[in-house]
Amino acid sequence: MKTPWWIAPCLLFVAALLQAAFFPALGLVRARPELVVTAVAIWAVLRGVREALPWAFIGGLLLDLFSQGPFGTAALALVIVAFCSSVGEASVFRTNFLLPTVIVFWASVLYGVIYLFLLRTHQMPVDWIGTLRHSVVPSALLSTACAPIVYWLLSRVERKTRSIVPVEW
Amino acid sequence: MRAGSALRAITNSASPSPLVWLALFVALSIGVTLADSQRLLDVPRDLVMRLLAPVQSGVNRVGNTLRGVTSGWNEVGQLREENAALRRTVEELLQETVNLRAAELENRELRDQLRYARANPSRTLVPAEVIGLDSSALLGYAVINRGAEAGLQAGMTVQTTGGLIGRVVSNTATTSRILLANHPSSAVNARIQNNPGATGQVLGQPDGRLVMRYIPQAELVKVNDVVVTSGLGGAFPANVPIGRVAHVEVRDVELFQRAVIEPFVNFDKLRQVIVDTGFVPPRL
């Protein structure tokens, strides 16, 4: 039931690259789909916390790399989000795309809040209300819109990798 | 002792509890943050960015091309209006050019008379391309494809031919991170071009607008007044255009008035920028 080690870095690299370079070029600047958060949250629902945490850590480091923000900040926020998202693993509705979609929305909001909090601990000025209104919530809605596609893709990956002999994290 | 027990729990148990995994990855993330704050990750990060910058640039170009294709369909009507507006602007600019030439001649004479050494106008400008914006949209950074190798340093001013964009806050050998002027954590000392007494601070807003605050109540500020950097504080050179006054808010009960500024630069469509490498803010 474990995934080959190279799947997560490859998928997350593509997601982070789209998020950092492709979406801004399309004009999605202040709010854009958080593809990495979406992928991690859905993987947490599909495969549980043990597989989602390494995804979260790797995805967070990639986001930190592209954003050139304080290194480890996005990783820490995403690890916590992955842990919280894994509550969906226990649900009987986890194979229906609606549950992961709802979880993606709240995961994106939670990620934004934790990330802003961590920025504040780095002594960076944070406008909580404005940033939540103009960036975090719109980004969460866009992530939710993308969630069915990401879910479809990841559930295919999940099915194909189900029988592969694992490499332990 | 507790750390030792946690480590044993991870190594001895074939399937430790999720909380142990969480603690492990939280500790790893904090460890990375601490290592970064000690600048231990600068070299590997620089190496990775050196490899990734061309990829990021390529993906960005694909996005720009796609955007150009799709937006072309919707822009015909907009282009007509823009064309008419541009014609009017050209006429205004022609008039302005004539006035500026006259002012330049007068300025030269005055400088000669007062025997002031002409300020060295040779600004060293480095062109650069925006290859990405921060991946989370929360930090308000742009990333450009020039870094320390091109002579860029933290604090240098970044602008387009139209106006101010922001300043360099950090860099690697081949890329630099720009704090955009329209981000809430950005503050630029500014003044109204035609009224040197009307100084204030241009602050970014969460919705991407610019607002000029702390303008003395006694100063007259009008819609369409041009706002430029004041040079006060030494963080930016003086007279870099920022935008035009779109709306003025005056309240009798307040000490200062405030103005909403329409920036000359469209921060959502940044592509080519210029970095003024001749201006490095003094360290106070």
Side-chain angles (χ1 to χ4, degrees), chain B:
Chain B
M1 283 299 283
R2 278 185 187 172
S5 310
L7 193 62
R8 271 196 298 282
I10 295 165
T11 51
N12 293 343
S13 168
S15 177
S17 101
L19 281 173
V20 176
W21 282 105
L22 176 67
L24 175 70
F25 280 102
V26 165
L28 269 174
S29 305
I30 292 171
V32 169
T33 308
L34 291 174
D36 186 46
S37 65
Q38 300 295 315
R39 309 190 71 84
L40 296 174
L41 300 176
D42 284 3
V43 174
R45 191 175 190 169
D46 192 21
L47 279 172
V48 175
M49 277 316 289
R50 206 180 265 266
L51 291 171
L52 290 185
V55 181
Q56 199 175 355
S57 179
V59 172
N60 191 262
R61 268 190 210 140
V62 172
N64 277 324
T65 310
L66 196 65
R67 185 185 192 183
V69 171
T70 52
S71 61
W73 296 99
N74 308 320
E75 283 180 353
V76 177
Q78 196 184 331
L79 282 174
R80 280 190 189 141
E81 284 172 23
E82 242 173 64
N83 193 23
L86 283 171
R87 281 177 193 278
R88 281 196 298 274
T89 311
V90 166
E91 284 165 15
E92 284 168 20
L93 284 173
L94 275 172
Q95 184 61 48
E96 211 169 295
T97 308
V98 171
N99 293 343
L100 280 172
R101 283 199 182 133
E104 191 186 354
L105 281 173
E106 188 186 353
N107 189 12
R108 233 178 250 170
E109 286 167 9
L110 285 169
R111 279 178 190 279
D112 287 341
Q113 283 170 7
L114 294 168
R115 299 187 176 201
Y116 269 119
R118 192 183 173 91
N120 185 2
S122 57
R123 297 169 69 196
T124 322
L125 301 174
V126 174
E129 192 181 337
V130 176
I131 59 171
L133 293 168
D134 84 83
S135 54
S136 63
L138 300 174
L139 287 165
Y141 293 132
V143 181
I144 58 172
N145 64 347
R146 292 278 185 276
E149 280 178 358
L152 271 63
Q153 290 178 35
M156 285 177 172
T157 304
V158 185
Q159 59 181 99
T160 63
T161 49
L164 183 73
I165 287 175
R167 64 190 162 88
V168 176
V169 286
S170 69
N171 56 13
T172 66
T174 53
T175 60
S176 295
R177 189 170 60 163
I178 314 300
L179 176 63
L180 300 177
N182 69 339
H183 189 261
S185 61
S186 167
V188 181
N189 286 328
R191 66 178 174 82
I192 302 295
Q193 191 178 37
N194 295 328
N195 182 359
T199 59
Q201 220 173 27
V202 173
L203 302 167
Q205 299 297 300
D207 59 2
R209 292 181 312 154
L210 295 176
V211 169
M212 186 168 175
R213 300 183 70 177
Y214 312 120
I215 310 167
Q217 282 281 18
E219 300 297 337
L220 179 65
V221 180
K222 301 190 297 290
V223 171
N224 280 332
D225 276 353
V226 173
V227 180
V228 296
T229 55
S230 67
L232 292 174
F236 289 90
N239 296 320
V240 179
I242 298 173
R244 274 182 201 282
V245 174
H247 175 65
V248 186
E249 288 175 18
V250 187
R251 289 182 193 156
D252 294 340
V253 292
E254 289 184 358
L255 282 174
F256 301 100
Q257 48 185 327
R258 99 194 253 264
V260 176
I261 310 297
E262 190 184 320
F264 288 132
V265 175
N266 186 342
F267 288 94
D268 293 349
K269 292 182 181 172
L270 293 178
R271 290 184 70 176
Q272 301 292 335
V273 298
I274 303 164
V275 185
D276 184 353
T277 54
F279 178 84
V280 182
R283 292 187 180 181
L284 298 174

Side-chain angles (χ1 to χ4, degrees), chain A residues 128-149:
Chain A
W128 283 94
I129 303 294
T131 312
L132 283 171
R133 214 172 96 194
H134 294 288
S135 191
V136 174
V137 173
S139 291
L141 290 171
L142 287 172
S143 305
T144 310
C146 291
I149 301 165

Side-chain angles (χ1 to χ4, degrees), chain A residues 148-160:
Chain A
I149 301 165
V150 179
Y151 175 78
W152 175 79
L153 186 71
L154 288 183
S155 56
R156 281 175 73 92
V157 173
E158 198 266 343
R159 274 199 299 274
K160 286 197 173 172

Side-chain angles (χ1 to χ4, degrees), chain A residues 19 21 32 50 68-69 71 127, chain B residues 16 36 45 134-135 177 206:
Chain A
Q19 203 173 312
R32 73 188 80 141
R50 284 189 184 81
Q68 302 209 354
F71 220 58
D127 177 346
Chain B
D36 186 46
R45 191 175 190 169
D134 84 83
S135 54
R177 189 170 60 163

Side-chain angles (χ1 to χ4, degrees), chain A residues 25-79:
Chain A
L26 290 180
L28 299 168
V29 179
R30 268 175 290 283
R32 73 188 80 141
E34 298 273 8
L35 283 187
V36 176
V37 178
T38 306
V40 167
I42 289 175
W43 202 247
V45 174
L46 290 174
R47 280 289 177 90
V49 71
R50 284 189 184 81
E51 285 207 23
L53 286 175
W55 279 54
F57 183 67
I58 294 166
L61 290 184
L62 285 167
L63 287 180
D64 285 327
L65 191 67
F66 281 119
S67 74
Q68 302 209 354
F71 220 58
T73 312
L76 181 55
L78 211 46
V79 160

